[in-house]
Amino acid sequence: DLVFTYRVRQYVQNKSADIIMIQQIYADMVIKDGMSRTERILKRTIDFILSLIGLVILSPVFLLVYILLKKQNDGPVVFRQERIGYRGKPFFILKFRTMRTDSEENGTPQLACKGDDRLTPVGKFLREHHLDELPQLLNVFMGEMSFVGPRPERQYFIDRIMEVNPDYEYIYLMRPGLTSMATIYNGYTDTMEKMLIRLQMDLDYLKNRSLWLDAKIVFTTVRFIVYGKKF
């Protein structure tokens, strides 16, 4: 059932619950993949086909964004960053660059947040409309990501999360995704508290996931983008 998802969503909306209580609720649950092997194979097949179609259909948008970023003349167009993905293997996530090249000048990983002053003018527009994520269609096509799944994280932040909740290792059972319930309802994970909430929502997705649930998540994500809802 999705009782846990509802309770976490309530927390995200009213900010009145206690993260420790949420962890205790989840501690009593059995973390088991809700998808059968056949469903996982079908999910990967759908990802492959749809990402290929998306790359072809959206190629004019890719070209337009490329031109806009090139006109800024302040760094590379595509941003590559190492993340930890399926089975705990590192890969390079692809994005259109939205921040200044000196956004982490001191070498310490920093979380993005709303109103981030490191965003370039074009980057701010891309981020607000989620166009910066388009290159990840190539990650999906190559099998490094899926359309639906937990957002991939950097090892630096994974280590911090696992100090509080070692259940993060279950995330490695899934390919990271372009979108998820946590992406839609938890917004920017700019604090450790929100990282832990995201983890619990991702684990709940693992337990309940199905192709039908994936379709609903994709539909909700598209609807939010079309209607301009910020997440």
Side-chain angles (χ1 to χ4, degrees), residues 26-202:
Y26 205 87
D28 296 329
M29 290 186 168
V30 176
I31 304 175
K32 183 180 179 182
D33 195 339
M35 275 190 174
S36 66
R37 184 172 183 274
T38 301
E39 286 179 304
R40 293 194 296 270
I41 293 173
L42 185 55
K43 176 181 171 78
R44 173 59 196 142
T45 302
I46 294 171
D47 284 339
F48 177 81
I49 294 172
L50 292 184
S51 61
L52 178 59
I53 293 173
L55 286 167
V56 173
I57 292 177
L58 295 173
S59 57
V61 180
F62 276 81
L63 179 59
L64 177 60
V65 173
Y66 176 85
I67 293 172
L68 290 174
L69 289 174
K70 266 297 184 183
K71 287 183 69 175
Q72 282 191 158
N73 195 32
D74 61 349
V77 169
V78 177
F79 174 72
R80 298 169 74 251
Q81 187 178 75
E82 186 176 274
R83 302 288 178 96
I84 306 301
Y86 185 46
R87 296 178 177 173
K89 296 179 180 179
F91 74 100
F92 285 98
I93 194 171
L94 303 175
K95 293 186 177 186
F96 284 124
R97 190 172 62 82
T98 59
M99 293 188 176
R100 303 189 309 267
T101 53
D102 63 349
S103 59
E104 290 184 347
E105 197 170 24
N106 61 3
T108 302
Q110 298 181 41
L111 293 168
C113 61
K114 289 185 178 180
D116 203 315
D117 61 7
R118 296 173 295 166
L119 292 171
T120 65
V122 175
K124 183 178 180 181
F125 175 83
L126 296 178
R127 183 73 68 90
E128 287 180 348
H129 295 84
H130 304 280
L131 295 174
D132 60 315
E133 311 283 1
L134 284 179
Q136 287 165 50
L137 286 172
L138 186 58
N139 288 124
V140 176
F141 179 76
M142 295 173 63
E144 297 166 330
M145 294 181 65
S146 175
F147 277 101
V148 179
R151 290 297 293 168
E153 193 53 85
R154 286 185 275 181
Q155 189 65 58
Y156 174 85
F157 293 113
I158 291 174
D159 291 341
R160 291 181 62 196
I161 293 169
M162 290 187 68
E163 288 176 1
V164 181
N165 189 345
D167 283 348
Y168 190 95
E169 287 189 349
Y170 285 101
I171 297 298
Y172 299 149
L173 295 174
M174 303 176 282
R175 283 185 174 83
L178 294 176
T179 187
S180 66
M181 290 189 294
T183 301
I184 297 170
Y185 296 111
N186 194 36
Y188 276 103
T189 49
D190 50 2
T191 65
M192 175 56 66
E193 184 179 51
K194 294 188 77 173
M195 282 184 171
L196 293 171
I197 294 170
R198 180 184 64 182
L199 172 58
Q200 302 296 355
M201 295 182 77
D202 287 339

